[in-house]
Amino acid sequence: MTTLAPSAPAAPPEPGLTPDEVVARAEALAATLVERQAETERRGYYAEDTHEAFSRAGFYRILVPRRYGGYEFGPETFAKVAMALARGCPSTGWMYLFGAAHALVAGTVFEEEVQAELFAGGEFICPATVAPAGSARPDGEGGWILDGTWGYCSGSPYATHFIGHTLVATGEGQPPAPMLFVAPREKFERLEDWGAQLGLKGSGSHSIRIEGARIPGRHTLGGHLSMMAVTEDTPGRRLHGPEYGGGPLSFMLLELGVLAVGMARGALDAYDLLMRTRTTSFFPIVPRTEDADFQARYGEAAGRIAAAEAAVLHAVQQWQALCGKEPAAFTREEELRLALIGREAVRLAWGAVEGQLFPTAGSSSVRAGERVERVWRDMSTLHSHAGNGVFLASLAPRELAQAHFGPAAG
């Protein structure tokens, strides 16, 4: 590890900006995204002027440490901003979150020398994938030569960096082991291969290709991000404080709950407008706002979404509170417990949309491109995410029980 000489922290563009102000900016910008959803889907990612607006608003610096020109506003502020953007446009919220979220990862797991390099620009937009791909061979100087293609890199259109995994040889007769790496923008190419999916067509989840790029050894870590323990301290905790000492796995999976709540709120907004502007189809013909069945549907959906929001935001607060304790408090069991709260938030939000809003909005309101239809497609696609579908649905509950009852349970 290289220890750098202390340096004066870099000031962010607006030193007086507060968390409440940045959330208010997200809510205001989200309102402008609603009418641009079709355009975003056609392009495959949000527009350049939207990206510039996010930059001016400070969104790409929310989780960047203060010493590197970030605002260091913490996970709860970040969650509220992402939730607001997903409410306006699910694809935009998804692309923003999975591009900007990994400043927290980089600020937690890498040593000081690497962080100074990664955060040199102040803003940090870094898609990350967990499926190992490609290949890595030693370069003879302590680094690696990478080749391969990594899919589903949400946030890649405006990325400054990319975090991926590959497998490396560990010795004769031994299975390969995962290795995490971070690559700057000049080392990779974004492929034009996104947009044919059922939903989240504008989420910028393109593939990234790397061909013969040299990555310094200090920009790699042995192991897989989902398995990295933080019970024995982290570089980020020593450099920046407790909130850069939390578990990466739990926060990654809570993010799915954050997005699901934002999307469901957008569907509820659309249903609210239908309630106010449409009548019932059968006698007595009355405004939907006066019909008991529509009232019940709206109320049931609103209650589920409110419960999902309360659960996921409180889980984020619990995540932050665990960071404030001794490193040993952030156990694997706690990681999995928090991750499963995110799963339940997704379930509640999806139940509101799929069970209450979509079936009763009316056929004209679920035509291609209508807001309720788009949210239904996007939330359906959320369920195909490996974290939500494979890990949280089957592996995490069993692993939580095993962590609770001890090694024999494994």
Side-chain angles (χ1 to χ4, degrees):
M1 181 184 75
T2 301
T3 302
L4 302 181
S7 58
E14 296 179 79
L17 185 64
T18 68
D20 286 345
E21 286 177 286
V22 84
V23 172
R25 289 178 181 183
E27 292 170 347
L29 280 168
T32 71
L33 301 174
V34 177
E35 298 303 319
R36 303 187 70 174
Q37 291 177 97
E39 165 205 334
T40 296
E41 289 190 344
R42 287 192 299 270
R43 185 187 302 104
Y45 52 93
Y46 55 76
E48 179 74 27
D49 64 320
T50 298
H51 166 60
E52 292 169 355
F54 288 1
S55 178
R56 289 192 300 273
F59 296 168
Y60 299 126
R61 296 174 183 258
I62 291 174
L63 294 175
V64 173
R66 284 195 188 96
R67 68 188 294 163
Y68 303 120
Y71 291 110
E72 202 176 304
F73 283 156
E76 186 177 0
T77 298
F78 178 75
K80 290 177 179 179
V81 166
M83 191 179 291
L85 298 178
R87 181 176 184 173
C89 173
S91 282
T92 296
W94 185 283
M95 177 175 160
Y96 163 74
L97 183 145
F98 286 114
H102 301 113
L104 189 62
V105 170
T108 297
V109 303
F110 286 108
E111 295 291 349
E112 182 177 6
E113 178 185 12
V114 179
Q115 291 198 33
E117 294 169 345
L118 298 181
F119 295 128
E123 296 185 339
F124 190 75
I125 306 170
C126 181
T129 61
V130 295
S135 63
R137 64 185 189 275
D139 67 356
E141 301 177 7
W144 299 86
I145 305 296
L146 290 180
D147 288 279
T149 300
W150 287 259
Y152 301 98
C153 302
S154 302
S156 55
Y158 304 115
T160 62
H161 295 80
F162 167 60
I163 289 176
H165 294 79
T166 190
L167 297 175
V168 297
T170 57
E172 187 174 351
Q174 299 296 314
M179 181 182 76
L180 178 150
F181 65 88
V182 59
R185 181 67 186 84
E186 63 269 18
K187 301 282 188 178
F188 61 82
E189 172 191 6
R190 176 176 63 87
L191 304 183
E192 291 293 346
D193 62 352
W194 187 252
Q197 292 68 22
L198 171 67
L200 294 170
K201 294 174 180 288
S203 63
S205 302
H206 303 68
S207 296
I208 279 176
R209 181 164 61 201
I210 298 176
E211 295 183 326
R214 181 184 179 276
I215 302 297
R218 64 183 181 277
H219 288 190
T220 68
L221 294 171
H224 193 278
L225 187 60
S226 69
M227 299 299 293
M228 287 184 179
V230 295
T231 53
E232 296 182 1
D233 213 354
T234 66
R237 177 186 284 268
R238 296 191 297 271
L239 285 169
H240 315 301
E243 284 187 359
Y244 292 88
L249 173 67
S250 50
F251 192 71
M252 282 192 296
L253 295 172
L254 282 170
E255 292 163 358
L256 295 174
V258 166
L259 289 168
V261 170
M263 294 179 193
R265 285 218 166 274
L268 191 66
D269 290 340
Y271 199 85
D272 180 292
L273 181 61
L274 295 172
M275 289 277 289
R276 297 174 186 276
T277 58
R278 301 285 180 89
T279 62
T280 56
S281 300
F282 302 101
F283 292 101
I285 305 297
V286 296
R288 291 185 183 184
T289 53
E290 298 176 14
D291 180 80
D293 291 332
F294 276 104
Q295 291 169 354
R297 294 283 189 173
Y298 178 89
E300 178 73 17
R304 289 189 182 188
I305 296 168
E309 181 175 0
V312 76
L313 289 180
H314 189 246
V316 171
Q317 292 168 358
Q318 291 179 57
W319 191 95
Q320 293 180 232
L322 273 174
C323 290
K325 298 180 180 180
E326 291 300 312
F330 223 119
T331 63
R332 186 70 174 176
E333 181 177 356
E334 290 288 5
E335 279 245 69
L336 293 163
R337 180 184 66 81
L338 291 171
L340 286 168
I341 294 174
R343 177 197 180 197
E344 294 308 312
V346 172
R347 282 180 164 181
L348 283 166
W350 176 240
V353 173
E354 194 269 343
Q356 305 296 327
L357 304 181
F358 186 85
T360 59
S363 58
S364 65
S365 301
V366 296
R367 290 178 299 195
E370 294 293 332
R371 194 173 180 188
V372 173
E373 181 268 348
R374 179 174 284 109
V375 172
W376 183 89
R377 281 191 289 108
D378 292 340
M379 293 191 75
S380 296
T381 302
L382 183 155
H383 280 76
S384 70
H385 187 279
N388 187 70
V390 177
F391 183 75
L392 287 178
S394 56
L395 300 179
R398 290 199 300 271
E399 192 178 337
L400 173 61
Q402 291 164 7
H404 179 75
F405 291 109

